[in-house]
Amino acid sequence: MSAPVRTTNDLRLGLLRQPGTVLFGPGQRHHLARLLPAYGGRALFCTDERMAADPVYRELVAGVEDAGTKVTTYAKVEPDLPRQNLEAVARAHDGDQFDVVVAVGGGSVLDFAKVAAILLAQGGDVAALYGENVVPAAGLPLVTLPTTGGTGAEATCISVVYDDGRGMKVGIASAWLEASATVIDPEFTLTCPPSLTTATAADALTHLVEAFTARAKNPTSADLEAHLYAGKNLLADTWARQGLRLVRDAFPRLAADPADLGARSDTMLAAFSAGLAINTAGTAAAHAIQSPIGALTHSAHGLGVGALLPYVLRFNLPTRTEELAEVADLLGVTPAGGSTEAAAHAAVEGIESLLATIGCPLDLAALGLRPEHVAQVADQAMLATRLTANNPRELDRADVVRILERGIAGDRSWWA
C-alpha cells in the first residue's frame, strides 16, 4: 500500500466483500434444498467425520436429495486443515463433475471447501495458490453452512492451510474464494462442546477488535487491485461496531446458559459481522503471533488469539486510543468523566472481561508456551508479513518478544 500513515483513513474509504446471498436465522438450513438447484443437480458436500455422522447432517442431505440434487459427501477434513486434505480431495474426485460445492462445518471445513472448489475446477497444486491474489480464476460455486459461532469463515475469502513441509500455516487469499451463498443457522451451534464454544467466541471477538483497530492504509486504485486488504475502512467499521454491540450482551448470556438460542444467534451474527469486517480490513498481530504458537503447543486457534489480545492491545494502544475509547462505548464500559486514554484502558479491560466470561485463558503459559519457545515464535511471526503489515503500530521482532514474555508471565501492566 502506498501511504505510511497507520492511524487515519483519510480517504473515507469503504470496501465490502460478502457472499452473493446471505440467509441467517434458526432453522434456515432447511432452505438449502431450495437454494441448490439454481447451481445444478450435482453437489459435493464437504465436512468432517463427526458432522457426517450427526443426524442433523443426514437430515440435511436427505432433504437436499429429496428436492432433486445428487449429493456426494467428502468427510475427511481434519482440524487446522493439513495441505494433504486438499491433495486427497483433488485425487479422490479427479475427473468427477460437480455443479456446486457445499461446506458444512467449522472454520477448517469452510476453508477446505473454498480451496477444493478452486482445485476441482482448475486442477493444479495447492502450494501454487499460496499468497495474496494468486488464485487465477473462479472455481465451482460455493455454499457455506457454518456450524460454529466464531471463525467468520463463511464470509471471508481466505483459507488457512497447514503445510507440514514448511512447518507453518499459510494463507490463500483471493476474492475468487468468496462464497456464492451462505446459510447461517444458529441451531447448529447448540451441540457445540464448551471448549469449542469458547475458542470460536474468542476468535470472533479478536476479529472484531483487530478489524476495528487495524492499520489505515489509504490505498490507491492500483493498491486495491493488487491487494486484498484495504485496511481499516468505513464499511468494515460498520460491521465491527455491530459485532461488538452484540457480544457485549451475548457472551454473558451464553456463558450462563449454553442452550440459550438467542445468545447463540447473537454470537453467530457477531461472528458473521466479524467475518465481513476482516474480509477487507484484515487481521493483525494477534493472528500473526498465534500461528507459530498453535503449531508448537497444538492449542486451539481461537484460544491463542484470545489469550494474546490483551497484550497486543496494550502494545497498540498508543496508536489506537480514540478507537479503543469508542470500543469502550460500544461495550458499555466508558468511565464517567474520564479521559480518552482512561476510556481506552477501560475498553481493553472490558475485552479481557468478555474473554474471561466465556472461559478464554488470559495468559500464554496456559496454552503450553514456555520461555524457551519465545525466539522461535518471534521468528515465525515476523514471516507473516500479510498480518504484521495490518498492525496499527509498527511491529518488529523485539516487540514480538516483549509481547510473548509479558503473555507468558501474565503481565497485564500498561506499557511505558
Side-chain angles (χ1 to χ4, degrees), residues 45-412:
F45 275 47
C46 302
T47 192
D48 56 33
E49 290 182 351
R50 185 198 67 80
M51 179 54 65
D54 193 306
V56 173
Y57 177 81
R58 293 175 180 174
E59 179 189 23
L60 181 70
V61 170
V64 168
E65 291 182 325
D66 288 346
T69 298
K70 180 181 178 182
V71 174
T72 300
T73 292
Y74 186 88
K76 298 180 181 180
V77 184
E78 299 175 84
D80 295 321
L81 186 48
R83 170 181 170 176
Q84 291 88 339
N85 280 187
L86 290 161
E87 294 169 343
V89 74
R91 288 194 303 270
H93 295 291
D94 183 27
D96 293 347
Q97 298 297 314
F98 298 108
D99 300 306
V100 62
V101 174
V102 179
V104 185
S108 292
V109 169
L110 301 175
D111 281 2
F112 171 90
K114 294 173 198 176
V115 183
I118 299 293
L119 294 175
L120 292 172
Q122 301 175 14
D125 179 51
V126 177
L129 305 178
Y130 292 168
E132 186 179 16
N133 284 349
V134 176
V135 177
L140 295 173
L142 172 68
V143 179
T144 55
L145 283 81
T147 60
T148 63
T151 69
E154 69 275 9
T156 61
C157 43
I158 181 171
S159 291
V160 180
V161 179
Y162 181 72
D163 189 315
D164 61 355
R166 303 186 182 201
M168 62 186 295
K169 291 183 177 180
V170 186
I172 299 174
S174 169
W176 291 120
L177 268 63
E178 191 67 79
S180 301
T182 185
V183 180
I184 305 169
D185 187 340
E187 290 182 352
F188 272 125
T189 67
L190 289 171
T191 56
C192 282
S195 59
L196 183 58
T197 296
T198 295
T200 53
D203 198 20
L205 178 56
T206 305
H207 290 164
L208 292 166
V209 173
E210 287 208 303
F212 195 68
T213 59
R215 174 186 177 185
K217 298 180 179 180
N218 294 303
T220 65
S221 294
D223 290 331
L224 289 175
E225 183 178 0
H227 297 282
L228 199 65
Y229 300 115
K232 181 176 172 65
N233 68 85
L234 298 180
L235 292 175
D237 283 356
T238 297
W239 286 100
R241 289 187 182 101
Q242 168 169 283
L244 287 165
R245 291 189 192 100
L246 286 165
V247 299
R248 174 188 63 197
D249 299 320
F251 280 14
R253 288 159 48 213
L254 184 58
D257 181 8
D260 183 338
L261 183 57
R264 291 282 186 181
S265 296
D266 286 350
T267 299
M268 207 162 195
L269 185 56
F272 173 69
S273 300
L276 292 182
I278 64 172
N279 214 18
T280 57
T283 54
H287 278 72
I289 301 171
Q290 184 281 325
S291 183
I293 291 176
L296 269 172
T297 65
H298 305 289
S299 53
H301 168 80
L303 297 183
V305 293
L308 278 160
L309 192 57
Y311 308 97
V312 170
L313 286 177
R314 281 170 167 75
F315 172 77
N316 285 337
L317 190 145
T319 58
R320 277 290 179 250
T321 304
E322 291 184 3
E323 287 74 14
L324 285 169
E326 184 176 352
V327 170
D329 184 59
L330 293 166
L331 297 181
V333 296
T334 303
S339 65
T340 301
E341 185 176 3
H345 286 187
V348 176
E349 291 167 350
I351 290 164
E352 291 169 353
S353 178
L354 284 174
L355 289 166
T357 294
I358 57 171
C360 183
L362 297 181
D363 67 84
L364 302 181
L367 304 179
L369 195 69
R370 302 288 178 259
E372 58 267 26
H373 298 147
V374 166
Q376 179 182 348
V377 170
D379 289 341
Q380 290 291 312
M382 293 308 298
L383 297 177
T385 54
R386 173 180 56 83
L387 302 176
T388 57
N390 285 334
N391 205 61
R393 183 176 176 183
E394 293 284 356
L395 184 74
D396 61 25
R397 186 184 182 281
D399 296 323
V400 175
V401 168
R402 287 192 293 164
I403 289 169
L404 289 166
E405 290 174 343
R406 282 174 171 247
I408 292 171
D411 177 5
R412 299 203 300 276

